[in-house]
C-alpha cells in the first residue's frame, strides 16, 4: 500500500527565514520553490535520502497553513506517504471507516496527485497520500 515517507510537511511563517536554517545549519539544499495557488501555499523542498522535507508558507492567512500557524504555531503539519493507485487506496480506506478530507485526488506540489486523511481518523496526525503518475 505505502512505499515510503514521501515528505514531511512543516508549516513556517516565512520561507525566506526558514530556508537558511535547513541549508546553512543542516547542509541540505533547497532544490525547488513552488506556489500551489489553490492551496494558498508556497512550498520549498529539500531531498534527504528517499524522502523530502517540504516547508509550507501560507500565501493567505485564511488558507489551511495560515490557520494552522495561527492555532498551533510553526511546526510539523503533516506526514506524506508515497503510494500507487491512490484512487483505490482512498476507496479502500473509506470503506474501512477512515474519514477522508479528499475523496478524490487533486494536484499538489511537484505535480503529484495528493489526498489527505482526516486527523480524527488517524489519531491526531494529518496524513497525506501522494502518487507520482509521471514515474
Amino acid at each position: 500500500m505505502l512505499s515510503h515517507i514521501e515528505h514531511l510537511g512543516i508549516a513556517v511563517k516565512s520561507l525566506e527565514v526558514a530556508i537558511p536554517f535547513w541549508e546553512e545549519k543542516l547542509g541540505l539544499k533547497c532544490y525547488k520553490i513552488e506556489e500551489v495557488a489553490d492551496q494558498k501555499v508556497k512550498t520549498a523542498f529539500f531531498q534527504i535520502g528517499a524522502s523530502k522535507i517540504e516547508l509550507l508558507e501560507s500565501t493567505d492567512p485564511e488558507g489551511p497553513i495560515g490557520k494552522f500557524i495561527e492555532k498551533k504555531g510553526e511546526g510539523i503539519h503533516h506526514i506524506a506517504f508515497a503510494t500507487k493507485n491512490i484512487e483505490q487506496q482512498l476507496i479502500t480506506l473509506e470503506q474501512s471507516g477512515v474519514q477522508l478530507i479528499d475523496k478524490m485526488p487533486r494536484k499538489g506540489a511537484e505535480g503529484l496527485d495528493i489526498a489527505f486523511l482526516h486527523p480524527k481518523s488517524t489519531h491526531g496526525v494529518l496524513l497525506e497520500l501522494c502518487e507520482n503518475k509521471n514515474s
Side-chain angles (χ1 to χ4, degrees):
M1 182 169 156
L2 306 177
S3 61
H4 64 279
I5 293 175
E6 208 284 331
H7 67 268
L8 294 176
I10 301 172
V12 299
K13 292 178 183 174
S14 165
L15 291 180
E16 186 178 334
V17 171
I19 289 172
F21 170 80
W22 293 88
E23 290 188 329
E24 296 166 13
K25 306 294 185 208
L26 299 180
L28 299 177
K29 175 72 177 137
C30 177
Y31 69 85
K32 184 175 193 178
I33 295 175
E34 174 182 358
E35 184 170 341
V36 184
D38 68 323
Q39 294 178 33
K40 301 176 182 172
V41 70
K42 195 159 118 179
T43 65
F45 285 96
F46 302 83
Q47 188 77 42
I48 181 159
S51 299
K52 296 178 256 179
I53 300 293
E54 176 189 37
L55 302 183
L56 302 147
E57 175 189 317
S58 182
T59 59
D60 181 339
E62 294 303 311
I65 298 301
K67 289 180 180 178
F68 177 88
I69 289 175
E70 176 70 27
K71 184 176 179 181
K72 298 184 179 183
E74 294 181 297
I76 294 177
H77 179 260
H78 66 273
I79 301 171
F81 295 101
T83 189
K84 297 285 185 196
N85 198 355
I86 192 170
E87 293 87 354
Q88 185 58 52
Q89 297 297 336
L90 292 171
I91 291 167
T92 301
L93 287 163
E94 187 172 41
Q95 288 173 346
S96 72
V98 174
Q99 185 178 346
L100 307 178
I101 292 174
D102 300 300
K103 291 186 182 243
M104 293 296 298
R106 54 190 162 112
K107 283 295 177 196
E110 298 195 300
L112 298 177
D113 285 358
I114 65 165
F116 285 92
L117 312 181
H118 202 288
K120 289 180 181 175
S121 293
T122 61
H123 305 279
V125 179
L126 181 61
L127 298 181
E128 178 183 13
L129 301 181
C130 302
E131 183 175 11
N132 184 350
K133 293 196 174 177
N134 298 322
S135 65

